[in-house]
Amino acid sequence: MLATTSRRLWSLHPFGQSQRLLSSWASVDPSAISGSNPGQAYNLVNGEWGLPAKSKTIPDPLNGEPFIKLPDTQLDEIDPFVQSLRAVPKSGLHNPLKNPERYNMYGAVIAKAAEEMRKPEVEDYFTKLVQRVAPKHDAQARAEVVVTRRFLENFSGDQVRFTARSFGVAGDHAGQMSTGHRWPYGPVGLITPFNFPLEIPALQLIGAVMMGNKPLVHVDHRVSIVAEAFLRMLHHVGMPMTDADYVHGHGSVVNEILVRARPRSTLFTGSQRVAEKLCADLHGKVFLEDAGFDWKVLGPDVFEPDYIAWQCDQDAYACSGQKCSAQSILFQHSNWVKAGLEEKLAQRAAQRKLDDLSIGPVLTWTTDAMLAHVDKLLKIPGARVAFGGKPLEGHSIPDVYGAIQPTAVFVPLDQILKDENFGLVTTEVFGPFQVLTEYSDEQLPLVLEALEKLEAHLTAAVVSNDPVFTQKVLANTVNGTTYAGIRARTTGAPQNHWFGPAGDPRSAGIGTPEAIRLVWSCHREIISDVGPIPQGFQATTT
Ligand SMILES: NC(=O)c1ccc[n+]([C@@H]2O[C@H](COP(=O)([O-])OP(=O)(O)OC[C@H]3O[C@@H](n4cnc5c(N)ncnc54)[C@H](O)[C@@H]3O)[C@@H](O)[C@H]2O)c1
């Protein structure tokens, strides 16, 4: 049974000064939650926050203290979520012909949400909350909050209906006109992972509701408290409480809700394994942002090696390598090797420290698992540890999480291409780990062969200002978000461009009007044919 709670609860938490300013909507204080004062998360269904019978606690990633209590929703408690989704018509809560006032309503809600997030205390609040559950440097956590705010700024006011705009084409005769509409799916699923606790669920949730869908939202349990706070903030600025449901807990439980509720579409962001399972269980009605094994090719033109080393370090190791866009493999032209890039990379990586969370806990790989992966790679002829390869020391990160130094293993290109090695070398390690390799001018076709063999096509970078070289690589690859030019990176996507994989009809996107239209609406063509019927019409059978 779901027990209903109310906003009275906030008063139970000993908020500090800045959190008191937020007390009308914030339910946990990131500065105060601890083993002795755990935060409490709630499910939301049909407009009511509530708790199932069981709860579970999650450990503080920095010291192991059980610091957040989560609803541990069981299979016999999912009926309200199933019924809530089933009650949503396929034509959505609004569409261009139904309840168009809601485009205006969301324009106002999103504008107010942006205004709320522009308050320094709200920016600090979300930054700190993100850091408590997914420890990363203040700059990284704050960037997530700022990108979210800027997205809200971009999609406020009339941008909601502009994003859902229709287009018309003249017909064959008077009275006929065809109009292409962006139509909602109605009931939808939205599942996101742990690594961007705010940005990914926030951007996708807003895209879903502004296009007229009602989503069931689920975020990885380790960080789901953050999106709950965002949802509470949206309610505070006027979003109807019944427009989205929110369920904490196990992925398997969400899986069952979706199987029974049969949403018309589901956006999944996470691992390839779960992506494929959901695709099968939901009969292909999915959009996917799945695993990233992201590559960077350094072209022959060596330029500003200190800058390039800094960018490579950021791409591989910021957020402890836990970005889907993190640089997983670096193809260095021999000119870069001669320029000493590897040493520069090692120096940059050595600057990272736990104190400022420029390196920190890894939430889905243990230390042993990451080091075992390194050991397996080292069995490949010619492979060597370029730097790192050791556990972090002097910390209290619990064993369920991982903690290793920023690590790079060099593997010769010809070995990477061997069938017996390729799968191992191109396994995504969601932590501070990358593979380095080297190629010569004559070996560029081998680099392209390796890129062709990869299965994941999320981000990529071609670091070169040589247009012929860059064009050759771009022309023969498919990654959905590819940066090209001497400043090319793999990470740090802001709100001003599409982010998402390519090369798969299920590929989703995030961040732009095109991404929202693709993921959260389908095309509907309405052909008006109102006459007049031609004078002297005579029927013929054809
Ligand atoms: N492509 C992108 O934009 C993008 C962005 C971020 C992360 N990722 C990927 O996410 C992965 C890291 O996250 P992870 O390993 O924790 O992912 P994961 O697939 O284990 O979990 C992701 C989400 O799915 C849920 N889930 C798990 N099993 C489920 C099931 N059977 N049915 C429904 N939901 C289920 C989890 O609770 C979580 O919310 C990496 O592979 C990374 O590349 C991709």
Side-chain angles (χ1 to χ4, degrees):
M1 273 299 286
L2 290 163
T4 305
T5 63
S6 78
R7 297 182 186 193
R8 267 180 292 119
L9 234 111
W10 320 158
S11 59
L12 298 178
H13 297 279
F15 279 9
Q17 180 60 31
S18 66
Q19 273 68 42
R20 249 195 298 278
L21 296 170
L22 310 173
S23 58
S24 59
W25 57 264
S27 63
V28 287
D29 178 358
S31 306
I33 49 177
S34 66
S36 57
N37 179 34
Q40 174 72 59
Y42 294 87
N43 285 337
L44 174 69
V45 63
N46 270 321
E48 299 278 5
W49 290 108
L51 291 174
K54 286 191 179 165
S55 66
K56 61 183 280 176
T57 54
I58 51 163
D60 183 327
L62 288 180
N63 60 25
E65 283 184 16
F67 77 144
I68 296 175
K69 283 162 79 178
L70 294 171
D72 191 8
T73 316
Q74 303 294 305
L75 285 178
D76 59 2
E77 296 169 306
I78 65 176
D79 208 43
F81 295 96
V82 174
Q83 297 312 329
S84 178
L85 269 196
R86 282 205 175 173
V88 183
K90 290 176 192 167
S91 52
L93 301 180
H94 62 265
N95 63 48
L97 302 182
K98 177 166 81 174
N99 300 331
E101 306 79 11
R102 283 175 48 99
Y103 292 109
N104 278 336
M105 181 269 287
Y106 268 108
V109 165
I110 296 169
K112 280 192 214 136
E115 202 178 312
E116 188 74 7
M117 289 191 73
R118 214 174 298 118
K119 294 177 184 166
E121 66 272 19
V122 176
E123 184 179 308
D124 286 346
Y125 176 81
F126 278 115
T127 302
K128 186 75 188 161
L129 195 56
V130 166
Q131 277 189 308
R132 286 303 305 269
V133 292
K136 38 178 128 171
H137 194 281
D138 179 86
Q140 296 289 332
R142 199 166 293 278
E144 196 176 331
V145 180
V146 170
V147 165
T148 303
R149 189 200 77 219
R150 293 191 63 181
F151 172 88
L152 296 172
E153 287 165 353
N154 288 343
F155 289 95
S156 60
D158 286 329
Q159 285 306 328
V160 174
R161 56 181 154 191
F162 289 158
T163 305
R165 68 156 35 108
S166 312
F167 64 88
V169 175
D172 284 344
H173 48 251
Q176 189 189 62
M177 160 162 267
S178 63
T179 310
H181 296 285
R182 295 315 302 178
W183 218 251
Y185 288 105
V188 294
L190 165 51
I191 301 174
T192 66
F194 73 90
N195 60 338
F196 286 94
L198 177 67
E199 183 181 338
I200 299 179
L203 269 57
Q204 295 292 18
L205 166 64
I206 293 291
V209 293
M210 69 191 249
M211 297 305 273
N213 305 288
K214 170 165 176 168
L216 169 78
V217 185
H218 166 77
V219 180
D220 189 288
H221 66 279
R222 285 161 284 211
V223 303
S224 51
I225 194 90
V226 181
E228 179 184 323
F230 181 74
L231 204 43
R232 289 180 185 275
M233 187 195 78
L234 290 180
H235 295 152
H236 173 72
V237 297
M239 175 178 159
M241 297 268 298
T242 48
D243 272 14
D245 294 332
Y246 194 63
V247 62
H248 295 269
H250 291 283
S252 54
V253 172
V254 186
N255 200 141
E256 190 57 24
I257 296 175
L258 296 179
V259 166
R260 288 201 214 160
R262 295 198 299 271
R264 306 298 302 167
S265 184
T266 293
L267 178 278
F268 173 78
T269 307
S271 64
Q272 194 168 7
R273 182 186 64 80
V274 178
E276 294 300 342
K277 176 172 179 2
L278 278 178
C279 187
D281 289 355
L282 303 177
H283 305 288
K285 292 192 177 67
V286 292
F287 281 103
L288 302 179
E289 299 250 25
D290 58 359
F293 188 86
D294 309 294
W295 51 263
K296 182 183 278 176
V297 176
L298 302 180
D301 43 330
V302 173
F303 187 72
E304 301 274 8
D306 288 333
Y307 179 88
I308 303 302
W310 169 80
Q311 185 64 65
C312 286
D313 171 73
Q314 285 292 117
D315 285 344
Y317 305 124
C319 297
S320 303
Q322 295 168 99
K323 297 186 185 185
C324 47
S325 52
Q327 176 178 304
S328 302
I329 185 164
L330 181 65
F331 295 89
Q332 310 167 85
H333 189 280
S334 308
N335 294 345
W336 283 98
V337 176
K338 284 188 208 112
L341 185 78
E342 195 174 301
E343 293 73 34
K344 285 183 188 297
L345 264 179
Q347 284 161 14
R348 289 251 37 110
Q351 311 281 316
R352 296 190 169 272
K353 47 188 188 297
L354 255 173
D355 287 353
D356 62 4
L357 294 175
S358 50
I359 189 76
V362 174
L363 270 61
T364 53
W365 280 66
T366 61
T367 303
D368 287 349
M370 285 185 282
L371 296 182
H373 183 75
V374 170
D375 286 343
K376 277 194 220 158
L377 287 173
L378 292 179
K379 295 203 170 67
I380 297 174
R384 61 181 165 80
V385 172
F387 53 86
K390 297 202 173 64
L392 289 181
E393 285 174 355
H395 63 77
S396 47
I397 295 169
D399 287 346
V400 287
Y401 296 148
I404 65 165
Q405 297 172 349
T407 297
V409 172
F410 182 95
V411 184
L413 182 58
D414 57 338
Q415 291 293 335
I416 291 177
L417 282 165
K418 289 192 173 161
D419 284 345
E420 63 270 31
N421 297 333
F422 194 78
L424 175 66
V425 175
T426 60
T427 297
E428 181 195 32
V429 176
F430 216 48
F433 175 81
Q434 65 175 324
V435 171
L436 307 178
T437 192
E438 178 180 355
Y439 72 99
S440 60
D441 285 334
E442 304 71 52
Q443 286 179 311
L444 182 59
L446 298 184
V447 173
L448 294 177
E449 187 185 327
L451 302 183
E452 177 72 14
K453 282 175 81 170
L454 287 172
E455 286 293 332
H457 305 296
L458 188 55
T459 68
V462 190
V463 180
S464 171
N465 273 352
D466 174 342
V468 176
F469 176 86
T470 306
Q471 180 165 313
K472 174 116 184 154
V473 180
L474 293 178
N476 289 291
T477 51
V478 302
N479 294 53
T481 305
T482 305
Y483 299 89
I486 204 71
R487 297 188 67 173
R489 60 188 199 273
T490 64
T491 63
Q495 72 300 324
N496 70 353
H497 66 66
W498 169 286
F499 182 85
D504 186 324
R506 303 166 299 177
S507 298
I510 190 169
T512 62
E514 293 76 16
I516 294 172
R517 280 194 284 267
L518 173 83
V519 175
W520 297 115
S521 65
C522 52
H523 183 96
R524 184 183 192 192
E525 192 86 1
I526 296 182
I527 301 98
S528 305
D529 214 344
V530 298
I533 292 163
Q535 272 191 345
F537 166 75
Q538 294 211 328
T540 55
T541 306
T542 57

